[in-house]
């Protein structure tokens, strides 16, 4: 009966656990604690009943054990008497001794029966007490396991609550970040729209100014290929564009020996030292185009810093082969030797005569 009850309760708990598995984990743990506490209460009630039954059985056992010495003594006495009369019957067989044997045998039968019955009762009580002890020990083991489960459930509840709080905080933080990002995006969009509007206004103003200027200037002046000089210089160069294009290719002065390079550097220093308007000119741009079989393979641009006295200088890594050098509307052709590949060269522009500027180049290491 007790085993059946335990099996039924176990099955119920299993079904309950399965139903809780699909529920909210936090709620499932709370319900598991309640279920385990109820089961512990039931087991303790069963243990209380076991204790009551055990007390009754122990009381009965004490009474039976108290009877045992007398019953055992009677059994032994009747057994001894039976043996004596049986011996006498053997020695002097007669009707009187035969009657004594029968009487002693009947008394022994009654004593033996009582003794065996008492022993069976004691053994049965011992067995029942043992079963109750086993049941109580099993219940105590279940109670300990359930208490352990309750402790684990409480720990999991603490963890789940912390995770839930963290998730809530994470959701709040994520929403806050989204709001901030949305606000930032809106602000960026507004700023971009303002910038675009301002650019359009500037562009419109520039177009209007260009139209106004075009109406005032006549005839139009051709612009140089690389407008990096002053407006006056651009106009002068524009008038000479056709003449320059038609003229024979101009080559720069390429200095490859150190002595000549030193002389060029000293002459440049003297020209610059005698200058009184170093900061009155803007820098120029040197465009370098490298060709192979008349095909353009590489080009680069470099700033020619104004040094003074119409002298400009740029530091350029040489590219071997055919190169075209362009400054404003002026161009030069140069074949850079292969042994000078990737060497740093100083390109110096003497612009004292705008109609015929001179471009020279020497290895940068010679200038030091």
């Amino acid at each position: 009966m007790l085993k059946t009850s335990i099996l039924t309760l176990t099955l119920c708990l299993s079904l309950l656990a399965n139903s809780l598995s699909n529920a909210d984990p936090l709620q499932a743990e709370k319900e598991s604690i309640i279920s385990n506490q109820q089961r512990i209460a039931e087991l303790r009630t069963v243990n209380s009943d076991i204790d009551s039954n055990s007390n009754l059985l122990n009381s009965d056992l004490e009474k039976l054990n108290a009877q045992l010495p007398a019953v055992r003594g009677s059994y032994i006495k009747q057994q001894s008497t039976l043996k004596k009369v049986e011996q006498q019957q053997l020695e002097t067989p007669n009707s009187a001794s035969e009657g004594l044997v029968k009487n002693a045998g009947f008394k022994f039968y009654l004593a033996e029966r009582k003794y065996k019955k008492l022993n069976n009762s004691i053994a049965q009580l011992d067995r029942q007490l043992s079963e109750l002890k086993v049941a109580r020990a099993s219940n105590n083991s279940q109670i300990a396991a359930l208490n352990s489960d309750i402790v684990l459930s409480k720990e999991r509840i603490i963890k789940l609550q912390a995770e839930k709080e963290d998730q809530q905080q994470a959701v709040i933080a994520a929403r806050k970040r989204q709001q901030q990002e949305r606000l930032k995006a809106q602000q960026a969009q507004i700023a971009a729209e303002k910038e675009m509007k301002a650019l359009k206004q500037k562009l419109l103003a520039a177009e209007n100014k260009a139209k106004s200027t075009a109406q005032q200037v006549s005839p139009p002046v051709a612009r140089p290929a690389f407008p990096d000089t002053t407006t006056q210089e651009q106009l002068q160069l524009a008038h000479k564009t056709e003449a320059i294009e038609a003229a024979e290719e101009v080559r720069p002065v390429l200095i490859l020996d150190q002595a000549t390079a030193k002389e060029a550097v000293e002459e440049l220093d003297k020209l610059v030292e005698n200058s009184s308007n170093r900061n009155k000119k803007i820098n120029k741009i040197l465009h370098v185009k490298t060709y192979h079989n008349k095909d353009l393979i590489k080009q680069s641009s470099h700033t020619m810093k104004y040094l003074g006295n119409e002298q400009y200088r740029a530091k350029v890594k040489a590219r071997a082969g055919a190169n075209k050098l362009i400054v404003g509307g002026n161009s030069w052709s140069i074949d850079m030797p292969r042994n000078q590949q990737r060497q740093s060269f100083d390109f110096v522009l003497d612009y004292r005569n705008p109609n015929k500027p001179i471009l020279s180049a020497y290895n940068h290491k010679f200038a030091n």
Side-chain angles (χ1 to χ4, degrees):
M1 180 67 181
L2 184 61
K3 292 181 179 179
T4 304
S5 299
I6 293 173
L7 181 61
T8 303
L9 285 170
T10 303
L11 180 60
C12 291
L13 287 173
S14 177
L15 293 173
L16 180 61
N18 289 333
S19 64
L20 290 175
S21 62
N22 296 324
D24 176 64
L26 185 60
Q27 184 62 28
E29 293 295 343
K30 291 180 179 179
E31 293 179 2
S32 176
I33 289 176
I34 295 173
S35 175
N36 288 339
Q37 288 173 339
Q38 291 175 348
R39 176 60 182 149
I40 289 172
E42 292 171 358
L43 290 171
R44 284 175 176 167
T45 300
V46 173
N47 280 349
S48 179
D49 294 338
I50 289 174
D51 292 340
S52 298
N53 291 335
S54 296
N55 291 334
L56 292 174
L57 292 175
N58 280 320
S59 178
D60 292 341
L61 185 60
E62 288 177 1
K63 292 177 182 179
L64 293 178
N65 283 326
Q67 298 174 17
L68 185 59
V71 174
R72 184 189 296 114
S74 176
Y75 167 75
I76 294 172
K77 181 181 178 181
Q78 295 300 328
Q79 187 181 42
S80 177
T81 301
L82 178 60
K83 287 181 179 181
K84 285 180 181 181
V85 296
E86 285 178 343
Q87 185 64 33
Q88 290 175 0
Q89 172 68 16
L90 290 174
E91 293 176 355
T92 57
N94 53 47
S95 58
S97 60
E98 185 178 350
L100 290 173
V101 170
K102 288 181 179 180
N103 186 43
F106 180 70
K107 288 182 179 180
F108 175 71
Y109 166 74
L110 293 176
E112 183 183 34
R113 181 182 176 186
K114 187 176 182 179
Y115 180 58
K116 287 183 178 180
K117 184 178 180 181
L118 181 60
N119 279 331
N120 288 336
S121 297
I122 291 173
Q124 187 176 3
L125 290 176
D126 283 335
R127 185 170 55 255
Q128 290 177 3
L129 284 170
S130 296
E131 289 177 354
L132 290 176
K133 287 180 180 179
V134 170
R136 199 180 198 289
S138 176
N139 290 345
N140 288 337
S141 177
Q142 291 183 58
I143 289 172
L146 292 169
N147 279 324
S148 178
D149 288 343
I150 289 173
V151 171
L152 293 176
S153 292
K154 288 181 178 179
E155 291 177 354
R156 284 193 289 267
I157 285 174
I158 294 173
K159 183 179 179 181
L160 289 170
Q161 287 176 337
E163 290 176 353
K164 189 174 182 180
E165 291 176 0
D166 291 342
Q167 289 175 355
Q168 291 174 346
Q169 292 296 327
V171 170
I172 293 172
R175 288 176 180 172
K176 188 175 181 180
R177 284 196 301 271
Q178 289 176 354
Q179 291 175 354
Q180 291 175 347
E181 290 174 358
R182 191 181 300 112
L183 179 61
K184 189 182 293 184
Q186 291 174 351
Q187 292 174 345
Q189 183 178 359
I190 293 172
E193 290 175 353
K194 288 182 178 179
E195 184 179 2
M196 181 62 70
K197 185 177 180 180
L199 289 173
K200 287 181 178 179
Q201 290 176 348
K202 287 182 179 180
L203 181 60
L204 181 61
E207 290 177 352
N208 292 335
K209 184 177 180 180
K211 289 179 181 179
S212 176
T213 303
Q215 292 174 356
Q216 295 175 5
V217 178
S218 180
V221 180
R223 296 175 62 85
F226 298 93
D228 52 8
T229 60
T230 61
T231 303
Q232 184 177 0
E233 291 170 343
Q234 291 175 357
L235 293 174
Q236 292 174 351
L237 292 173
H239 289 299
K240 295 177 175 59
T241 300
E242 294 181 0
I244 291 173
E245 291 177 351
E248 184 180 355
E249 276 189 334
V250 180
R251 292 185 174 272
V253 179
L254 180 60
I255 303 172
L256 297 177
D257 63 285
Q258 185 173 2
T260 307
K262 287 287 186 182
E263 293 176 0
V265 171
E266 291 175 359
E267 183 179 354
L268 176 63
D269 290 340
K270 290 179 182 179
L271 289 172
V272 172
E273 287 176 1
N274 295 329
S275 174
S276 59
N277 60 344
R278 294 187 185 184
N279 299 322
K280 293 183 180 180
K281 296 288 185 178
I282 62 173
N283 298 328
K284 293 184 180 293
I285 303 298
L286 169 63
H287 302 278
V288 181
K289 296 184 177 183
T290 305
Y291 294 85
H292 180 70
N293 295 331
K294 297 184 179 181
D295 293 328
L296 178 65
I297 59 173
K298 193 169 185 179
Q299 59 181 346
S300 59
S301 299
H302 310 270
T303 299
M304 300 197 80
K305 293 184 179 180
Y306 180 68
L307 305 176
N309 203 6
E310 300 299 333
Q311 304 297 309
Y312 299 83
R313 182 172 59 197
K315 183 180 178 182
V316 181
K317 282 191 178 294
R319 294 195 290 268
N323 290 270
K324 188 173 185 179
L325 312 174
I326 303 171
V327 180
N330 301 282
S331 63
W332 297 263
S333 296
I334 183 173
D335 291 324
M336 186 64 69
R338 290 192 176 278
N339 60 358
Q340 302 298 320
Q341 173 73 5
R342 304 299 296 170
Q343 293 287 320
S344 293
F345 272 72
D346 284 347
F347 284 81
V348 178
L349 176 66
D350 184 351
Y351 206 71
R352 287 176 294 176
N353 182 1
N355 295 326
K356 196 175 181 180
I358 300 172
L359 183 66
S360 59
Y362 49 82
N363 198 307
H364 178 73
K365 64 183 180 182
F366 295 155
N368 299 324

